[in-house]
Amino acid sequence: MKLKTFATSLAISTCLSAAAMAADLTRVATVPLGGEITGMFLQGGDLFFNVQHPSDDLPTVFSKATVGVVANADFSAGETGVPEGDDQTVVKTSLGTYQVLVQEGDFGKLGVIAGAGGVIKTSNDPDFNGFIATGENEGYLFTNWEDRPGGMSRVKMSRADDGTWTVDETDVMMVDFSGIGGTWVNCFGTVSPWGTPLTSEELYFDDTADWNNPEYKYIGDVEALANYKGAYANPYDYGYIVEIKDPSGRATPVKHMAMGRFSHENSVVMPDQRTAYLSDDGTDVVFYKFVADRAGDLSSGTLYAARVTQLAEPGTSAAEAAFQISWIELAHGTNDEIAGWVADYDGITQDDHQAGKTSYISDEEVAAWARGAADDNRVAFLESRRAAAAKGATAEFRKMEGVNINLEAAANGSVPFIYMAMSEVAKGMSDDAGDIQVEANTCGVVYQMRLDGNYNTHMMVPVVAGGPYDKNDEANACDTGNISNPDNILVLDSGDVLIGEDTGNHENNAMWLWKAASS
């Protein structure tokens, strides 16, 4: 592996301060037992966030998945303590009063996923929230429902002068994804600079060859999708960024195949309305960049994958190891062109499966594409992770989560940073091979990436690192005074960062405020 050079000594000295970052953290909310914090979205001064999949036997209203809001969130109000007793069964926050807006199953619609075979399930996994204003103090809240098949709700609501939000029960719906064959695990997301929700299909299907394998342990999820569609699904129809066009009207979903197919945790579009950064959830995954041909149009462009150089010795603490980033071009593509390639795999079912073989793109085809011997670029867009690895990109990250900016502050240069959550630093990142060889951090790390004037980034620096970790502490294996398995990221106008947890290493998941200005 490549090691640090004199030219990168400044970056090294910057990241060496990361071990002290816990002093700049304040716990600002906790959610009930079993729950995860998702959907952090700031509309004006009001902070939306969710309680995802709480324990269903709680003796409180929070036994159901909940979408809620804190009006006039006060980020200077101090700390929320580690909950005990009854406080473990409710939302606690120092930011203000948490108002429950909607919950799973409300109005017979919220989180209810139905298709050709009728109702398939009611999800308890609300994730991304994005608010689309339709007037002063009113608009639509879009919420992902992170399931297989996936879902997304749209709820009309308005805000009173005292900060109370009211749901219009006559204008509540689940977005109709049937025209694009449904979605798969709608995870985190963002709102584009031009005001459309971007929902992420978290594919979490590491080997496409198993898609029609009757013996695969998760084949039931594929069969549920077949129930949704009324026919066996083509795997290459899933694993994309989905834009909701005309969000206040017909709310029409468009899959942007040109942005690559992988386990999308999130995408975030830069102020130039062309450059987007995309995170890939799982093990041995890749960090991507997409540059659209035209501003405000994600239907065509060039896909890139990151190769990183570790700027520290092997085995260095994850809190202290920065990475230099170079970008490898994979290919240029358009949605329409790629959709034509996808159609070549229609009609394949479990009847076509043969042990030891694949009905889909083979390793041999990936290798041929990488050496320039393929007839087209389908590998780059349909098997993006395998394509990136074959071209020399770093396919070692574990476990990549939210990536985000503050759009306005990035545009005016006051906060020229992207932030990324790595829920856990392990496996491919902590072994003794490849581009990344750091010490494992079971509790996770948040990285900062500086943007240049063209919205490119070339350095990934750890700024918040979880731990210490104590495997013998069953309730709180990660220290309760620090982050544990960061997931959602929200960057405030001030440059401070909200970090939401998805962890089994804190008994109650927490939201943290990292004070960037004091670091």
Side-chain angles (χ1 to χ4, degrees):
M1 65 177 291
K2 296 180 181 179
L3 299 178
K4 62 185 179 182
T5 65
F6 175 78
T8 59
S9 61
L10 178 59
I12 295 295
S13 66
T14 299
C15 75
L16 283 173
S17 64
M21 287 300 112
D24 302 319
L25 282 171
T26 303
R27 186 188 310 100
V28 294
T30 59
V31 294
L33 294 167
E36 170 192 342
I37 291 178
T38 61
M40 298 186 306
F41 186 88
L42 200 60
Q43 175 64 23
D46 296 355
L47 178 65
F48 293 90
F49 68 93
N50 308 328
V51 182
Q52 188 186 78
H53 57 62
S55 298
D56 61 10
D57 59 355
L58 296 175
T60 67
V61 67
F62 294 107
S63 61
K64 291 184 176 183
T66 300
V67 179
V69 64
V70 176
N72 303 313
D74 183 358
F75 296 107
S76 66
E79 185 172 63
T80 300
V82 177
E84 298 179 355
D86 291 345
D87 286 348
Q88 293 187 289
T89 67
V90 297
V91 172
K92 299 293 290 183
T93 178
S94 58
L95 301 175
T97 301
Y98 184 77
Q99 179 191 352
V100 173
L101 295 171
V102 292
Q103 294 185 298
E104 63 178 273
D106 279 1
F107 321 117
K109 297 179 180 179
L110 268 295
V112 177
I113 298 171
V119 174
I120 298 170
K121 62 179 68 176
T122 298
S123 177
N124 70 341
D125 289 318
D127 203 302
F128 160 70
N129 289 314
F131 187 82
I132 307 299
T134 57
E136 186 176 359
N137 292 327
E138 66 173 27
Y140 287 104
L141 184 68
F142 285 80
T143 302
N144 283 346
W145 294 85
E146 187 182 13
D147 230 309
R148 303 168 176 84
M152 187 182 220
S153 56
R154 188 185 78 172
V155 178
K156 185 70 177 290
M157 56 183 62
S158 58
R159 184 186 192 277
D161 290 341
D162 66 358
T164 303
W165 287 83
T166 300
V167 171
D168 181 351
E169 298 183 14
T170 68
D171 199 348
V172 174
M173 70 177 218
M174 295 294 287
V175 173
D176 183 3
F177 288 122
S178 62
I180 55 172
T183 57
W184 181 276
V185 189
N186 296 63
C187 195
F188 195 22
T190 55
V191 174
S192 72
W194 50 93
T196 55
L198 300 174
T199 176
S200 311
E201 288 189 292
E202 189 178 62
L203 188 61
Y204 251 115
F205 217 97
D206 292 336
D207 190 349
T208 308
D210 284 321
W211 188 268
N212 67 334
N213 178 0
E215 303 302 318
Y216 185 57
K217 60 183 177 179
Y218 297 127
I219 198 65
D221 293 332
V222 181
E223 292 168 346
L225 191 55
N227 186 28
Y228 175 93
K229 284 175 59 71
Y232 205 79
N234 180 339
Y236 295 125
D237 279 327
Y238 308 94
Y240 302 101
I241 296 298
V242 184
E243 182 177 9
I244 309 300
K245 298 287 191 78
D246 188 21
S248 301
R250 297 180 62 85
T252 304
V254 176
K255 290 200 179 186
H256 286 306
M257 295 179 173
M259 300 181 81
R261 174 181 176 267
F262 46 92
S263 189
H264 285 277
E265 173 73 20
N266 195 33
S267 69
V268 59
V269 181
M270 299 295 104
D272 65 356
Q273 301 193 16
R274 294 185 60 214
T275 306
Y277 291 92
L278 310 105
S279 55
D280 181 11
D281 195 353
T283 300
D284 293 334
V285 299
V286 178
F287 182 33
Y288 298 89
K289 179 173 71 171
F290 175 77
V291 180
D293 292 338
R294 295 170 296 277
D297 179 359
L298 301 175
S299 66
S300 66
T302 303
L303 185 63
Y304 299 82
R307 181 173 184 176
V308 305
T309 300
Q310 183 171 315
L311 305 179
E313 299 290 339
T316 296
S317 167
E320 299 177 349
F323 307 107
Q324 188 171 344
I325 303 171
S326 60
W327 294 99
I328 296 173
E329 181 175 335
L330 299 183
H332 177 276
T334 71
N335 285 350
D336 290 343
E337 177 184 34
I338 299 163
W341 298 330
V342 170
D344 290 343
Y345 304 91
D346 285 346
I348 296 172
T349 71
Q350 291 181 25
D351 293 337
D352 299 296
H353 182 263
Q354 298 180 50
K357 298 183 179 180
T358 179
S359 303
Y360 306 106
I361 294 173
S362 67
D363 289 341
E364 291 76 17
E365 289 174 287
V366 174
W369 170 82
R371 65 175 183 266
D375 292 334
D376 55 46
N377 281 319
R378 70 181 61 198
V379 168
F381 298 100
L382 305 189
E383 294 287 352
S384 301
R385 191 184 297 166
R386 291 162 68 194
K391 281 288 193 179
T394 300
E396 301 169 35
F397 290 102
R398 160 79 188 180
K399 177 175 181 289
M400 193 180 288
E401 302 289 352
V403 58
N404 216 342
I405 63 169
N406 182 289
L407 182 65
E408 184 176 345
N412 65 30
S414 61
V415 186
F417 298 111
I418 311 170
Y419 288 91
M420 175 187 285
M422 206 71 65
S423 178
E424 178 186 44
V425 175
K427 299 188 177 181
M429 294 185 75
S430 61
D431 58 15
D432 59 0
D435 299 328
I436 304 176
Q437 299 178 32
V438 300
E439 183 182 17
N441 187 321
T442 302
C443 304
V445 173
V446 175
Y447 292 92
Q448 180 190 76
M449 293 170 278
R450 179 178 286 275
L451 292 163
D452 67 18
N454 294 314
Y455 300 106
N456 293 314
T457 189
H458 301 287
M459 191 73 67
M460 180 183 290
V461 177
V463 291
V464 184
Y469 176 78
D470 179 2
K471 66 180 181 180
N472 296 316
D473 188 336
E474 293 184 8
N476 293 293
C478 291
D479 191 283
T480 57
N482 204 347
I483 63 166
S484 176
N485 307 122
D487 191 296
N488 277 205
I489 293 285
L490 180 64
V491 186
L492 305 182
D493 293 346
S494 63
D496 297 340
V497 181
L498 285 179
I499 303 166
E501 293 182 344
D502 173 11
T503 184
N505 293 316
H506 280 169
E507 192 171 21
N508 289 82
N509 281 212
M511 181 192 301
W512 299 86
L513 176 67
W514 177 63
K515 299 289 288 183
S518 63
S519 64

